[in-house]
Amino acid sequence: MRTTSTTTNKTTTKAKTAAAGSLSALLTMTLLLPTSATAAPTAPAEESNDIPGITSEESREQVQRAGEQALEDVRIKGTPPGQATPATDALDHGMRQVIADGAIGVSVRVNSPGLTWRGSAGKRAVDRNPPAGWQDAFRAASNTKPMIATLVLQEVERGAWTLDTTVDEVLPGLLPEHGDATLRELLSHTSGMPNGTTELLLAQMSDPEDWDEFRGLISRDYSQQDHVDIVNAFPWTERGQFVYSNAGYVVLGMLLEAQTGRSVEQLLRERIWSPAGMRHSAYPLNPGMPNPALAEDAWIGDGWLGLRGFDPDLFRAAGAVVSTTGDLNSFTRSLVNGALVDPALVQEMATPVTAEGYGLGVYLVPDPCSSPEDPQWFIGHDGASFGTLSVALTSADGTRQISLAATGRDISAIEPRWDLGDVIVPALLATC
């Protein structure tokens, strides 16, 4: 197993290859499959979502905690930001650690004025020997959401919508009992809409402990209307409460298509990827990955669950994008630099709407390079598919970005085998 990294600073370019651990593990939110499931639409709205990979709430909290840890690492040592650790050595160590703990492959990229670094460790697939590469594509999952949010805010900037535009104003009758849900509420997960993906899977499960049945369900075709029908059938929570909803972003995708006459894939390609210089991103709605890519498999406690047949239309506009660390850094940098939408609207995106710190398709992470007297923030999102975790963050001024992805997610237990912070903390510190 190899660890490979490339570092470029103002005076030096170097490539390093070192021995690493055998398997790999990076943390995403991991939840147990439910021990019991109900298909009844009358299930209480407050019941927990126990399908792995459905909600990004735990992964968001872990990313935010990693930012706080990076901030604390700087302050405890009492040294200027960026000098607390040997940055590139810490990054190499972090990658080796997640591989040693059980992940399959990891890819990381750091961009800042004084350091350009990209590295990878582990393998592209659990059953194949080629090493993971820093250029490999991966399932970006909910990192799709900031892109969809940007498309929505482009329509606001053009004057077609406001953030108070309702679903019924664009697609009357789509949500018969909740047509007054606004764009702002959908973007911030405060409309009361259920998660959608959870309910869609639970409603079909006959044996929630059968991994083969689970794999079959996530490999089926799902239409946009399937996502809408399931949330129309289940109870909603009180408006204003934060309930992470994949279906809400599927609805946003439908509203965008109705407003523009263009598909979500066309809108992403023409209005996000092209102006941001993202040449290696895609919006697939069928199984399969480009080449080269980090293949998905999930650890289920006593072995690997193959996910090659996973169909991303289970997530659609909430999380179907496939991307690379380079493209994600290009996206977040272009977003905050005003290349995609007016900076005033970017500021609105980044302003937390909820007590959980979520804004309009993005959330905030403490910037360890800032001082206690003048705290600053990274802006971005994470993505948790069933086999991959990804993170994409940028400093508010657009000068520093980090992105990473790791495969081999542990979905067998509440406490997973590998820790996301092992890579996020040194990546954040390396930007200082």
Side-chain angles (χ1 to χ4, degrees):
M1 196 66 61
R2 295 190 307 178
T3 301
T4 303
S5 61
T6 302
T7 305
T8 304
N9 58 30
K10 293 179 179 177
T11 59
T12 306
T13 302
K14 62 180 180 178
K16 300 189 296 181
T17 303
S22 56
L23 278 175
S24 67
L26 167 63
L27 168 64
T28 171
M29 178 205 77
T30 52
L31 299 177
L32 286 169
L33 278 173
T35 55
S36 63
T38 175
T42 56
E46 64 269 16
E47 286 186 0
S48 62
N49 293 332
D50 288 335
I51 297 292
I54 299 307
T55 169
S56 184
E57 183 170 356
E58 286 193 20
S59 48
R60 171 185 53 77
E61 291 173 353
Q62 289 159 357
V63 174
Q64 291 172 322
R65 284 198 299 270
E68 293 167 358
Q69 181 62 53
L71 194 65
E72 189 68 13
D73 285 351
V74 170
R75 293 175 184 172
I76 287 176
K77 291 179 180 295
T79 56
Q83 298 179 23
T85 61
T88 57
D89 288 345
L91 284 161
D92 283 337
H93 174 76
M95 293 194 302
R96 283 194 288 266
Q97 188 63 55
V98 297
I99 296 298
D101 287 343
I104 299 170
V106 58
S107 177
V108 186
R109 185 179 295 253
V110 176
N111 290 111
S112 69
L115 177 69
T116 298
W117 186 94
R118 56 199 183 190
S120 59
K123 301 191 297 184
R124 282 183 180 155
V126 69
D127 57 352
R128 294 198 294 273
N129 287 325
W134 50 262
Q135 80 283 8
D136 290 350
F138 51 84
R139 294 205 183 280
S142 285
N143 279 301
T144 305
K145 289 182 173 72
M147 301 179 197
I148 297 298
T150 302
L151 291 172
V152 170
L153 289 174
Q154 287 176 351
E155 292 303 306
V156 172
E157 183 177 356
R158 295 177 182 201
W161 291 341
T162 74
L163 287 172
D164 294 321
T165 295
T166 67
V167 173
D168 268 351
E169 290 178 68
V170 185
L171 284 176
L174 185 68
L175 304 174
E177 297 182 15
H178 305 280
D180 58 347
T182 67
L183 299 178
R184 187 190 305 275
E185 290 172 330
L186 294 174
L187 289 167
S188 61
H189 305 283
T190 57
S191 69
M193 185 184 293
N195 178 271
T197 318
T198 304
E199 291 76 12
L200 195 57
L201 294 178
L202 286 178
Q204 303 174 80
M205 277 188 164
S206 60
D207 182 0
E209 296 182 355
D210 186 339
W211 287 106
D212 287 332
E213 181 185 28
F214 171 74
R215 178 167 50 191
L217 291 175
I218 67 173
S219 302
R220 290 182 54 180
D221 282 324
Y222 294 97
S223 68
Q224 294 181 118
Q225 194 62 44
D226 288 333
H227 292 265
V228 172
D229 289 344
I230 199 69
V231 295
N232 281 335
F234 272 75
W236 289 36
T237 59
E238 183 179 350
R239 292 174 74 166
Q241 294 184 7
F242 180 81
V243 177
Y244 194 84
S245 178
N246 283 333
Y249 273 74
V250 175
V251 168
L252 287 170
M254 297 174 73
L255 300 181
L256 284 163
E257 290 181 340
Q259 176 65 37
T260 65
R262 311 286 283 174
S263 70
V264 168
E265 191 276 338
Q266 289 173 317
L267 292 171
L268 288 169
R269 189 169 302 281
E270 296 167 3
R271 289 166 44 172
I272 303 293
W273 302 338
S274 179
M278 300 166 65
R279 296 178 296 173
H280 306 289
S281 295
Y283 184 75
L285 294 179
N286 291 296
M289 292 288 287
N291 187 33
L294 299 179
E296 284 204 304
D297 292 282
W299 181 256
I300 55 174
D302 58 357
W304 293 101
L305 182 72
L307 299 175
R308 310 302 165 82
F310 168 71
D311 195 327
D313 63 18
L314 178 62
F315 294 145
R316 289 191 169 264
V321 165
V322 169
S323 195
T324 64
T325 57
D327 272 12
L328 289 182
N329 275 5
S330 294
F331 167 67
T332 58
R333 180 172 54 249
S334 297
L335 176 62
V336 298
N337 283 345
L340 302 177
V341 70
D342 186 88
L345 289 171
V346 176
Q347 182 61 44
E348 184 133 23
M349 287 179 73
T351 300
V353 174
T354 73
E356 292 78 8
Y358 202 95
L360 305 180
V362 297
Y363 58 80
L364 303 181
V365 174
D367 184 347
C369 309
S370 62
S371 67
E373 297 75 24
D374 184 25
Q376 301 296 317
W377 305 90
F378 272 81
I379 300 167
H381 213 281
D382 62 86
S385 67
F386 297 109
T388 305
L389 173 74
S390 58
V391 175
L393 301 170
T394 181
S395 61
D397 63 4
T399 62
R400 296 170 291 134
Q401 293 80 38
I402 71 164
S403 57
L404 63 93
T407 53
R409 183 181 168 201
D410 182 354
I411 61 174
S412 68
I414 296 297
E415 292 296 330
R417 302 194 300 167
W418 40 279
D419 186 358
L420 177 67
D422 286 340
V423 178
I424 294 182
V425 170
L428 289 170
L429 290 171
T431 69
C432 296

